Amino acid sequence: MDKTIWWEQTTHSIHYIDETVLPGKLLISECCHPDELIEAIKRLAIRGAPALGVAGGFGVALVASRSNCTELQLILEDIGEWAEKIKTARPTAVNLSWGVSRVMNALTPARSPDEVRFLAVEEAVKIAAEDADICHRIGDVGFDLIPDGCSVLTHCNAGGLACSEWGTALGVIRTAHKNGKWISVYACETRPLLQGARLTAWELDRDDIDVTVITDSTAAYLMRQGKIDLVIVGADRITNDAVFNKIGTYMHAVCAHYHKIPFYVAAPVSTFDFLNNENSITIEERSRDELAYCGEHLVVPDCVKVKNYAFDATPLSLISAIITEKGILKPPYDISKLKETDVIC
Ligand code: MRU
């Protein structure tokens, strides 16, 4: 799998796979200005929680590298203003603000604008490298949960395209596949932007992992027919009481619970939000046109209202296990354990 997002030191810019044009085209685009980064995040050219964490870090590096301020105080103010704009480009995935804050914190020892530039790029590049390593560790920790010959349902895209590479939920599937297990994946298309049909299917097919795309509403019936052995998804934020992920995740979790099918979440520790509960989180609502148009065709009458939530929240009580790079969390969940110890199995 190629890298999804990376820093080009020669041009002081962010390069990324533009996910809006896959699977038709593998297009590498560039952000040379923080406005371009914010725009790429908003239109989901860069997307997926861990990739947003990396993008947030690179965003601070971009502002620092491009700033021609010659005074320490001024460059820090410049970065501070942009940091707020980047953090709020999308509200639900905690990783975006996490990535921005981590690079901002790394600037504390800087004594000159040049040191700020150096430290910002250094920390952002480190986040990207760590993210790849963390995804591989999530795969290593979780692949035992995937039996040989099983049939797995996944929703949205929690693959390499949602991270800097390898993926979280798809990382677990990839590692199982690499270890010789045969796995058949049902990828929910993921209305309305089709991350499952366009991205998950593209990634798995490239890796020769058996994949079948279904409509989101087919999942329950496949479960009823006994054709799904387990569900595995990623996460955009895990609070003390719920997992936030792509809209439709809750529906699959309820159905899996009813059919007594394990429901796993794979996510890095950076996705945990130890400070909040479900009720305090903003769920992103996206534009009417994403629902009202299918390509160029109007599919909802002009005068009719739409509701276009990008994410939903699934209570932890419906989740069989959370796979992190530090180990596997099982019910009853005590999220605070993650802060206390390195191994949580
Ligand atoms: O709106 P998106 O495409 O950014 O939503 C992404 C998801 O919901 C993913 O499942 C989540 O970020 C986990 S990615 C490893």
Side-chain angles (χ1 to χ4, degrees), residues 44 47-50 90 156-158 162-163 168 195 234-236 245-246 311:
L44 269 58
R47 51 148 298 279
R90 291 189 79 193
C156 195
N157 172 265
C163 306
T168 55
Q195 291 92 329
D236 286 86
N245 192 49
K246 178 55 56 191
F311 302 98

Side-chain angles (χ1 to χ4, degrees), residues 121-198:
V121 172
E122 183 185 59
E123 190 68 9
V125 168
K126 204 163 138 194
I127 290 177
E130 276 176 20
D131 180 68
D133 183 51
I134 284 169
C135 285
H136 284 278
R137 289 203 330 253
I138 289 174
D140 291 342
V141 165
F143 84 93
D144 268 347
L145 294 172
I146 314 277
D148 187 20
C150 78
S151 181
V152 178
L153 181 90
T154 190
H155 189 68
C156 195
N157 172 265
L161 290 168
C163 306
S164 67
E165 60 176 71
W166 201 248
T168 55
L170 296 195
V172 174
I173 292 171
R174 277 203 168 94
T175 305
H177 176 78
K178 204 179 92 186
N179 279 273
K181 297 185 182 185
W182 192 87
I183 301 150
S184 163
V185 178
Y186 284 105
C188 292
E189 61 171 351
T190 317
R191 283 281 297 150
L193 296 181
L194 306 177
Q195 291 92 329
R198 296 187 301 105

Side-chain angles (χ1 to χ4, degrees), residues 269-345:
V269 173
S270 57
T271 301
F272 285 75
D273 173 355
F274 302 103
L275 301 176
N276 285 300
N277 287 337
E278 177 183 344
N279 290 343
S280 41
I281 304 307
T282 306
I283 298 262
E284 176 184 0
E285 291 197 48
R286 295 187 59 83
S287 80
R288 171 193 175 80
D289 284 359
E290 287 182 358
L291 263 186
Y293 282 88
C294 202
E296 308 215 315
H297 299 283
L298 185 71
V299 292
V300 179
D302 267 339
C303 51
V304 173
K305 290 179 281 182
V306 305
K307 192 84 181 156
N308 187 13
Y309 283 134
F311 302 98
D312 61 24
T314 301
L316 292 184
S317 57
L318 292 179
I319 289 158
S320 315
I322 304 175
I323 305 158
T324 78
E325 72 275 24
K326 290 187 174 186
I328 300 175
L329 276 172
K330 292 205 173 127
Y333 294 104
D334 182 359
I335 301 294
S336 63
K337 267 192 176 176
L338 270 176
K339 285 191 279 189
E340 289 160 17
T341 169
D342 265 341
V343 181
I344 53 173
C345 295

